[in-house]
Amino acid sequence: MSNSLFSKEMQDQLKELKGQLSKGRDTVSPDGDNAKPTEPVSLLTQKQVKKTVKQMDSEHIDDDKVLFMQAMHGVNQLEDKNLRSPANAAKAKKPDAATLSKRAAAQGSEASDLGAGLSDMQALLNPVAGEAYLSYKNPTLQNKIFTQLKQGKLRWYDAVDIHGCTIEEARVAITQLLSQAKQNNETSVKIVHGKGSEAILKTCVNGWLRQLPEVLAFCSAPPKDGGNGAVLVLLKKTKTDTE
């Protein structure tokens, strides 16, 4: 009597089934497109996984992660075309002093006229310290608005950093910034002059702005906007034809 619990016929059927499973099921199914994939799945071997782990040089790869790596072998991430690539995104950037100087040279006229009457000597005769707080207010400006400017509550629209500029470059950059603000009907800008041991640029900014009739007020910026290394400038509003 045979020790097997299965008949010879059943044993033959099991062998045949085992052979089919080892080869993978046929890729063509009578169920059509709704049928599940029948190709055998190719998994990473333990040797391949160990090689990958060694390349990653990580102590945090446990058995679960190894199994996950095996299961995800051959899977490629789909490209999401709805995302905008950061590399192609335009980067908004405030114009620097060199850019404004070149722009002034190209445009000429108004910016040049604005800076033509500025006296460097008058500015330099009244030096200010690097840590000094700058403050100026035209008598016609309301105290309430000046207080808002000092508190940083008035939005500034554009800015320029004149660090490292010569006096001439700084003057051209500032007058171009103010001319640009006037053309765009902007009433507040920021000038970053820095402090420095001699504070020459800060002294010039303090003197120049006091000479310009377009300037209603200016003061050293709040800490969040540069502190005593920058000034917020309030300009007269440009009159339109409807006003």
Side-chain angles (χ1 to χ4, degrees), residues 8 10 22 43 45 48 65 105 126 163 175 211 234:
K8 186 176 183 306
M10 292 184 67
S22 64
L43 299 179
T45 64
Q48 289 174 315
K65 291 185 176 63
N126 297 283
H163 271 101
T175 53
Q211 299 174 44
L234 183 65

Side-chain angles (χ1 to χ4, degrees), residues 136-190:
Y136 165 80
K137 171 183 162 308
N138 186 297
T140 61
L141 182 67
Q142 297 178 11
N143 291 329
K144 179 181 178 181
I145 298 177
F146 186 49
T147 299
Q148 292 176 335
L149 179 69
K150 291 191 290 185
Q151 293 175 345
K153 292 183 178 180
L154 299 182
R155 174 191 171 192
W156 53 271
Y157 294 86
D158 217 339
V160 67
D161 189 337
I162 58 173
H163 271 101
C165 292
T166 64
I167 291 178
E168 177 63 24
E169 289 170 341
R171 180 174 60 249
V172 172
I174 290 173
T175 53
Q176 176 62 20
L177 177 71
L178 300 183
S179 175
Q180 186 174 286
K182 183 179 178 181
Q183 292 174 4
N184 296 332
N185 202 24
E186 297 169 353
T187 55
S188 185
V189 296
K190 182 173 77 169

Side-chain angles (χ1 to χ4, degrees), residues 14-85:
L14 287 172
K15 287 180 181 180
E16 183 181 354
L17 179 60
K18 184 177 180 181
Q20 291 177 352
L21 290 175
S22 64
K23 295 178 181 178
R25 290 178 293 181
D26 293 336
T27 56
V28 179
S29 170
D31 294 332
D33 295 337
N34 294 327
K36 295 182 179 180
T38 55
E39 287 290 338
V41 179
S42 174
L43 299 179
L44 286 170
T45 64
Q46 288 291 334
K47 185 177 180 180
Q48 289 174 315
V49 171
K50 287 180 180 178
K51 183 179 179 181
T52 304
V53 171
K54 186 177 180 180
Q55 290 175 344
M56 290 181 176
D57 192 24
S58 175
E59 299 176 354
H60 304 289
I61 304 284
D62 53 21
D63 291 340
D64 289 338
K65 291 185 176 63
V66 169
L67 290 173
F68 179 76
M69 290 168 63
Q70 287 182 297
M72 297 303 291
H73 176 57
V75 176
N76 296 321
Q77 182 176 354
L78 293 176
E79 180 183 356
D80 189 347
K81 296 182 178 179
N82 291 322
L83 295 178
R84 187 180 183 185
S85 173

